[in-house]
Amino acid sequence: MEIVHAYVDRRMRRRPAADSSGWRDDLISRFTAGGHSEEFVRDNLISFVLAGRDTTPSALTRFFWVLSSRPDVVAQIRGEIERIRSGRRQGETLFTQDDLKQMNYLQAAISETLRLYPPVPLVPRECLEDDELPDGALVRRGWVVMYNAHAMGRREALWGRDCEEYRPERWLEEGVVGASVLEKFDVEVVEASGRRRLLMTMKMEGGLQVKLKQRRAY
């Protein structure tokens, strides 16, 4: 923890210089501008460094794996990106928060991937006091109770008869890394087992080998 704290402290001291108006646009400055303490900011940065190390790559691996067999979904996402790009000044390349809020279909596609392939399939919780679950089951203080997000995401009672089907539209009936990659590249899966490897996070056995083909200039 001393090593991690020292690393985060260095990053906090090395923030980019402010612009002419005194504004800093980096993530750390946005936190501090919200009135949060240095300790609060440091704790959140540690969460970014540690907590997202496995789950984010795992989610993106499955996302691109699924899309490799769904060109119709890729076309929908790219159409959404092009529509958002058309309203911006030439030369602006980064996606803004406002851009991301408009990417409804991308959000739906990611949500559908997480429903079928949650990076953390089993979520444990420790019972602090004796309690009773809604179905009448008793749990005692100190017991560990886990819910299976992987199974819940595939329950017909919750998602309907097409619960095993990848259908982003289900999230629109009731908008990033994915956008940046799909706008500029075709992603072709070269080799992937598709098999699940269950550790603390659910990974794809052997990883995902892909070829990236740059698309025409946007």
Side-chain angles (χ1 to χ4, degrees):
M1 290 307 299
E2 288 180 0
I3 294 173
V4 173
H5 283 179
Y7 168 76
V8 173
D9 287 340
R10 286 197 303 271
R11 299 308 305 174
M12 292 179 66
R13 290 194 301 268
R14 296 176 183 174
R15 281 179 281 175
D19 60 20
S20 57
S21 65
W23 170 250
R24 288 188 172 97
D25 196 36
D26 61 283
L27 180 63
I28 298 175
S29 297
R30 285 175 177 264
F31 266 121
T32 54
H36 300 296
S37 67
E38 293 285 316
E39 182 180 6
F40 176 88
V41 175
R42 186 184 70 179
D43 289 346
N44 274 275
L45 293 177
I46 291 174
S47 295
F48 294 154
V49 171
L50 299 180
R53 185 182 69 87
D54 288 330
T55 52
T56 301
S58 178
L60 286 173
T61 296
R62 281 294 176 182
F63 179 61
F64 290 114
W65 178 72
V66 169
L67 294 190
S68 69
S69 62
R70 293 296 302 270
D72 58 319
V73 175
V74 174
Q76 289 259 43
I77 295 173
R78 285 176 173 162
E80 187 173 65
I81 296 171
E82 290 172 3
R83 175 181 57 79
I84 293 170
R85 287 287 194 194
S86 66
R88 303 183 61 189
R89 294 193 301 269
Q90 188 174 5
E92 292 183 345
T93 58
L94 297 178
F95 291 112
T96 66
Q97 289 292 332
D98 288 338
D99 292 336
L100 296 178
K101 290 177 182 178
Q102 298 179 60
M103 295 183 184
N104 298 317
Y105 195 84
L106 172 64
Q107 179 63 49
I110 293 174
S111 297
E112 185 73 339
T113 303
L114 294 175
R115 177 183 73 85
L116 292 171
Y117 305 102
V120 184
L122 298 173
V123 183
R125 291 291 182 267
E126 182 178 349
C127 187
L128 297 179
E129 301 291 344
D130 292 352
D131 204 351
E132 181 178 329
L133 298 181
D135 65 355
L138 295 176
V139 290
R140 301 301 183 190
R141 178 179 178 180
W143 287 12
V144 175
V145 179
M146 291 193 291
Y147 69 86
N148 191 329
H150 183 268
M152 291 173 64
R154 296 166 180 263
R155 285 193 62 190
E156 183 175 333
L158 295 175
W159 302 98
R161 299 183 66 178
D162 63 350
C163 58
E164 295 284 345
E165 179 184 347
Y166 181 83
R167 192 171 65 84
E169 287 76 11
R170 76 175 76 244
W171 297 91
L172 300 176
E173 295 165 357
E174 296 289 293
V176 169
V177 174
S180 298
V181 173
L182 290 174
E183 182 184 34
K184 300 174 184 176
F185 298 97
D186 288 318
V187 182
E188 176 187 349
V189 172
V190 176
E191 181 180 352
S193 66
R195 291 189 295 272
R196 306 178 186 94
R197 184 184 178 200
L198 180 57
L199 299 171
M200 180 62 71
T201 58
M202 184 176 290
K203 299 183 178 182
M204 183 182 294
E205 186 175 302
L208 184 67
Q209 304 296 318
V210 301
K211 286 183 178 179
L212 297 179
K213 181 180 178 182
Q214 190 167 10
R215 302 177 67 231
R216 60 176 176 77
Y218 55 89

